[in-house]
Amino acid sequence: MGLSGALVLLGVLLMLTGGWGSTLPYFYFGVFGGLLAMWTYVLVLYRRVRSLFGEPYHRLDIAADGLFTKGSRVSVRLPDGRWLRTRLTDGPRVQLAGQRRLWVLGTGRRVFVRVPGAMWLRAARIEDAPVAGAVPAELVARHPTPPSHDPVIAAHRAFQARRSAVSGVAFLAVGAAGLAFAASAADPGSGGIADAAGVGGIAGGSAVFLMLGLLMAVGSLRIRRPITEDGWVELRIALDTPFVPRARSAVRLTGWALYPDGRQTRFRLTADISLAANVAMTGQLWLLGYPQPGKPAKAGLPGHPCLGSFRPA
């Protein structure tokens, strides 16, 4: 956030010093101004959550007919007849349709919610009616299911693939547009060196966007590969160091793993924070199928939208 703000201020400084004809300030405003707005929104939400850190969570059990959905928007009927509205991605939404329980943080009309087993929070509002056009959510079975038929994991992977594909296309479009603009800006105009620097900066940034877009597109294709494993394998885990939650999406854990056949090995796990917290608290790690010696394997949690990569050392 600080870097984005500094670069936006640099764009303002370039304009005030006679760089109105340069493309560089507009590049700073367009790219880093958007990032600054996003991080400002995140900071506002964080400050709201931080003020509630000392308060307890409240368990909300959802009645069979008290859950309505419309796309990603979810409406939950409260015991007093009002409705809690929030947004959930595909995996947590399917989990909620089967588990029918939420943890609520805060009081008043603005609160935060989390599904069981999750480390993240979602902002929510309490209104007098559900989202217009919402329909009752179908009940999802919660009995043990093989990884290849787990509806929560399937929905979570589908969302990840769709998000990666959309982000990749957006990055490719921005990168291609930036390169096209840089190629057409042959006349430096009155900006001189500033214009040349602007065109060079846009070209370099566009190349980075193109590379990121290609990586995301390839990642989307990898995520779309179907899960073929028909069984969960439980490992007993001993971590090298205590787990300390961090404000990031991916966490790396190391330690010793005990296989069902008694074999032990060191391991490295790269997982989202929800899966990492579950492994640290329970000492259990679930793999999608029995791992091949020396080869990585997919890790997850039955019935929960969290995944990771397990690699024996």
Side-chain angles (χ1 to χ4, degrees), residues 190-247:
S190 60
I193 296 176
D195 246 7
V199 172
I202 292 175
S206 299
V208 173
F209 278 120
L210 284 175
M211 182 181 66
L212 291 176
L214 288 174
L215 292 176
M216 290 180 180
V218 173
S220 173
L221 296 177
R222 294 181 60 185
I223 297 173
R224 290 181 184 275
R225 295 176 182 173
I227 296 176
T228 58
E229 290 79 8
D230 292 325
W232 292 94
V233 178
E234 178 189 0
L235 307 184
R236 303 300 300 179
I237 297 298
L239 298 180
D240 289 334
T241 58
F243 171 71
V244 179
R246 303 292 184 185

Side-chain angles (χ1 to χ4, degrees), residues 16-143:
L16 295 178
T17 55
W20 290 95
S22 173
T23 56
L24 193 59
Y26 302 103
F27 175 76
Y28 285 154
F29 287 150
V31 176
F32 299 107
L35 291 175
L36 180 61
M38 180 192 70
W39 284 114
T40 301
Y41 173 74
V42 171
L43 180 61
V44 171
L45 286 182
Y46 172 75
R47 290 180 64 88
R48 285 176 51 196
V49 174
R50 187 175 181 180
S51 65
L52 302 173
F53 278 174
E55 297 187 13
Y57 282 91
H58 304 283
R59 173 171 168 167
L60 174 60
D61 292 312
I62 305 173
D65 59 347
L67 179 63
F68 285 67
T69 61
K70 182 182 180 182
S72 63
R73 290 181 288 180
V74 176
S75 301
V76 177
R77 189 172 65 233
L78 300 175
D80 61 5
R82 295 183 299 168
W83 292 82
L84 183 148
R85 297 184 186 179
T86 187
R87 289 181 179 270
L88 296 175
T89 57
D90 296 0
R93 196 166 62 249
V94 175
Q95 177 189 348
L96 186 64
Q99 201 160 4
R100 302 286 170 140
R101 187 167 70 247
L102 274 176
W103 293 102
V104 182
L105 178 64
T107 56
R109 300 188 69 88
R110 291 188 175 184
V111 296
F112 293 90
V113 298
R114 72 198 313 174
V115 297
M119 287 290 289
W120 43 259
L121 289 169
R122 290 289 182 269
R125 292 178 63 92
I126 296 178
E127 304 289 353
D128 296 328
V131 174
V135 298
E138 296 183 5
L139 183 65
V140 177
R142 290 289 297 177
H143 59 79

